[in-house]
Amino acid sequence: LCGLLLKDWLPWSLLLFSLMYETSTFYVPGVAPINFHQNDPVEIKAVKLTSSRTQLPYEYYSLPFCQPSKITYKAENLGEVLRGDRIVNTPFQVLMNSEKKCEVLCSQSNKPVTLTVEQSRLVAERVTEDYYVHLIADNLPVATRLELYSNRDSDDKKKEKDVQFEHGYRLGFTDVNKIYLHNHLSFILYYHREDMEEDQEHTYRVVRFEVIPQSIRLEDLKTDEKSSCTLPEGTNSSPQEIDPTKENQLYFTYSVHWEESDIKWASRWDTYLTMSDVQIHWFSIINSVVVVFFLSGILSMIIIRTLRKDIANYNKEDDIEDTMEESGWKLVHGDVFRPPQYPMILSSLLGSGIQLFCMILIVIFVAMLGMLSPSSRGALMTTACFLFMFMGVFGGFSAGRLYRTLKGHRWKKGAFCTATLYPGVVFGICFVLNCFIWGKHSSGAVPFPTMVALLCMWFGISLPLVYLGYYFGFRKQPYDNPVRTNQIPRQIPEQRWYMNRFVGILMAGILPFGAMFIELFFIFSAIWENQFYYLFGFLFLVFIILVVSCSQISIVMVYFQLCAEDYRWWWRNFLVSGGSAFYVLVYAIFYFVNKLDIVEFIPSLLYFGYTALMVLSFWLLTGTIGFYAAYMFVRKIYAAVKID
């Protein structure tokens, strides 16, 4: 079996390795670059304010920034709304390849902007909460350059600079209990000059968008009537303090600098997606592949050898009486396919697991091909939502067929349970969390029309598709079990301590979690620390490893359980196969304590609420994979022995 696995998966693994570095520069067909001529306007838009300390995004104009004469919000897709993006125009006037030394925003007759006490208090609060401002130019997010010196030797003059980029820019900073606001933005935009014929005008494309935020005191800025300003020279200026107890006067200013770049338009996202720890990914992937295939090979050989020995013994007619006394799993052949308690709920949960599995598989595969890159803002979440709705037909079909196999009769109630049980729990938790976000006036709160639209998708698309799939699944021939079930249930002997359900969860969860926990760190960073996640080639391979390891562990656990003459494997196997979800929960608590600086109640509630949804979904996914692997295994082994 190990040889077969290597033979089947090795070519695919090599193909995936070759795709891993290609995905970041691939663009969806149809996403055309925008060409600018000299002095064409380049619109700067604001996306939102974010903080990893509060996990509550806010609209750009929730703070008293300078506003244009007419505020226009961009029409957003479902993913952008759910992420809390509220893309809006700004008063920054930027022209292609046109420098600006210093320009004053919203200045009327050279008068500075006056922040009221309430506005000053709000700005001070956002600064102390470490909020970042996110702007975009030509769909490129603004980034702050960080130059880190990797060699810390003071004697070595040739220190190596490691340049990294921080998404957005800090709203301000605190120093000795004083709060300072970044009121001057130095935009540095990079353009790529396109090759044109001699008689044609040159066109330019924006390939990078950087900002250097500065805090400059009102008294140090010199302005004139044309809204121009002069920045103080050197380090003579003091930063602009915001006193939350009184009114504050300040200027909002900006400058624009253009630089030519060799970076081509198709590669312009590489700067944002460059990671210094790709080697960690390679190490984790290779380590996971080796460990999983090695353990899979060992487990397969042990089980196959043991099974062959068992089956050979069971099929010896002359020794049948001896083997009946010493054997394990054949003794329960008359009860192993006895329907469990609550078959409708079990089949409904497994149907939702199939729905999740199909959705995740397609999303990761499409994203690996580059079609859901970070440049398509919100596309990943939108695709996931719609795919989950449409995968209801497969979830319903598998749930209906399994429910029929488990001697169920009320297919309409079963279909309704499948369509509403898991989505209902998700919607309920999200609605409660959304009420708290509404209370904080955050842009992360899902608007009421969007919530109605999601409900319409649920009951207008997902529910009918689940019913359709369930109807055909229930009408289809049930799974053919190789042995008949006895009329009277067999008595189950007393089980050893290590056959306890919780011990089984701990044992079964280690291998799948070990194969994916490094990737889990990057996924958590993307979700909770506003980073870009783009290494979907790695993620696809990790997903395959997860499927293989869950299947292997599930088969081993059900084999041990049947050898102990415990035939109640349906629910137990589903719970135990999802054991890695318990480790994901433990890791999420560890990440919260050690990596995040969240202290308030509502951000903590949001973190653990969304973590609960992730753990529930992961348990459904891994439990479903393990259950179907174990079911196929049980049918296979009982079909191989002669039953009188």
Side-chain angles (χ1 to χ4, degrees), residues 162-442:
D162 182 18
V163 178
Q164 292 184 6
F165 290 92
E166 199 172 48
H167 305 310
Y169 70 88
R170 287 180 181 272
L171 179 62
F173 61 96
T174 56
D175 186 26
V176 198
N177 296 327
K178 289 188 176 181
I179 297 160
Y180 301 99
L181 176 70
H182 284 140
N183 60 328
H184 177 80
L185 302 178
S186 298
F187 293 129
I188 305 170
L189 292 105
Y190 294 77
Y191 64 85
H192 180 75
R193 194 193 299 264
E194 296 301 305
D195 296 327
M196 306 294 289
E197 294 179 10
E198 290 183 8
D199 56 338
Q200 288 185 320
E201 187 182 352
H202 279 294
T203 59
Y204 308 90
R205 291 176 181 173
V206 179
V207 292
R208 192 188 291 177
F209 182 24
E210 292 179 22
V211 67
I212 301 173
Q214 292 172 265
S215 182
I216 303 172
R217 195 175 53 177
L218 174 71
E219 291 77 13
D220 294 336
L221 276 168
K222 297 175 183 176
T223 62
D224 58 26
E225 294 178 356
K226 295 180 180 179
S227 294
S228 296
C229 53
T230 308
L231 295 174
E233 295 181 2
T235 56
N236 299 330
S237 68
S238 300
Q240 174 64 53
E241 186 185 347
I242 300 294
D243 189 341
T245 60
K246 63 177 187 180
E247 291 187 350
N248 291 271
Q249 289 193 324
L250 72 158
Y251 283 116
F252 285 106
T253 59
Y254 71 103
S255 59
V256 181
H257 174 63
W258 288 90
E259 287 187 23
E260 189 167 2
S261 172
D262 295 329
I263 299 169
K264 294 197 172 179
W265 185 87
S267 305
R268 65 181 191 159
W269 274 83
D270 289 6
T271 306
Y272 301 88
L273 306 180
T274 301
M275 295 181 70
S276 58
D277 38 24
V278 170
Q279 286 182 339
I280 296 174
H281 274 276
W282 280 110
F283 175 75
S284 70
I285 291 292
I286 293 167
N287 179 52
S288 299
V289 168
V290 170
V291 168
V292 167
F293 281 123
F294 178 70
L295 287 175
S296 298
I298 291 174
L299 294 174
S300 304
M301 284 191 294
I302 291 170
I303 284 189
I304 288 170
R305 285 185 65 185
T306 310
L307 278 174
R308 279 181 178 165
K309 190 177 175 183
D310 286 351
I311 292 166
N313 286 337
Y314 293 154
N315 290 340
K316 281 182 185 175
E317 293 181 359
D318 53 343
D319 293 340
I320 193 71
E321 292 180 8
D322 299 333
T323 55
M324 287 295 279
E325 291 176 7
E326 64 183 22
S327 63
W329 55 268
K330 191 189 174 185
L331 281 178
V332 294
H333 70 83
D335 298 277
V336 71
F337 294 110
R338 187 178 300 283
Q341 285 185 305
Y342 314 114
M344 186 185 290
I345 296 175
L346 178 64
S347 58
S348 299
L349 290 172
L350 288 164
S352 296
I354 291 288
Q355 212 172 333
L356 269 175
F357 177 81
C358 295
M359 180 266 282
I360 291 170
L361 182 67
I362 296 170
V363 164
I364 295 176
F365 184 75
V366 171
M368 184 187 71
L369 298 179
M371 296 185 186
L372 298 175
S373 68
S375 59
S376 309
R377 195 172 279 101
L380 186 74
M381 199 172 286
T382 306
T383 307
C385 286
F386 276 97
L387 268 176
F388 184 79
M389 301 292 172
F390 287 110
M391 291 301 109
V393 69
F394 298 107
F397 181 85
S398 58
R401 192 173 182 196
L402 183 65
Y403 185 56
R404 174 90 183 268
T405 306
L406 299 178
K407 307 289 191 292
H409 302 292
R410 297 174 295 174
W411 74 269
K412 290 178 183 176
K413 191 175 179 182
F416 184 78
C417 189
T418 305
T420 55
L421 185 60
Y422 169 68
V425 170
V426 172
F427 186 83
I429 293 175
C430 288
F431 182 78
V432 171
L433 294 177
N434 206 51
C435 291
F436 284 100
I437 304 173
W438 264 333
K440 284 284 189 178
H441 306 289
S442 166

Side-chain angles (χ1 to χ4, degrees), residues 88-159:
V88 65
N89 60 331
T90 60
F92 298 109
Q93 301 291 324
V94 177
L95 303 177
M96 171 54 74
N97 205 15
S98 175
E99 303 273 325
K100 279 191 177 179
K101 294 290 184 188
C102 183
E103 193 91 5
V104 181
L105 284 172
C106 58
S107 171
Q108 297 177 346
S109 307
N110 277 350
K111 289 182 181 178
V113 176
T114 303
L115 301 183
T116 63
V117 178
E118 191 177 334
Q119 290 174 331
S120 301
R121 193 183 299 119
L122 184 62
V123 169
E125 187 182 323
R126 296 283 182 267
V127 171
T128 53
E129 289 172 339
D130 287 340
Y131 267 86
Y132 283 74
V133 183
H134 297 272
L135 306 174
I136 52 172
D138 187 28
N139 202 35
L140 267 183
V142 74
T144 308
R145 180 191 290 259
L146 300 176
E147 294 183 351
L148 307 172
Y149 290 95
S150 55
N151 191 348
R152 297 186 180 180
D153 238 353
S154 56
D155 299 332
D156 193 355
K157 293 180 181 178
K158 294 182 179 179
K159 291 185 178 180

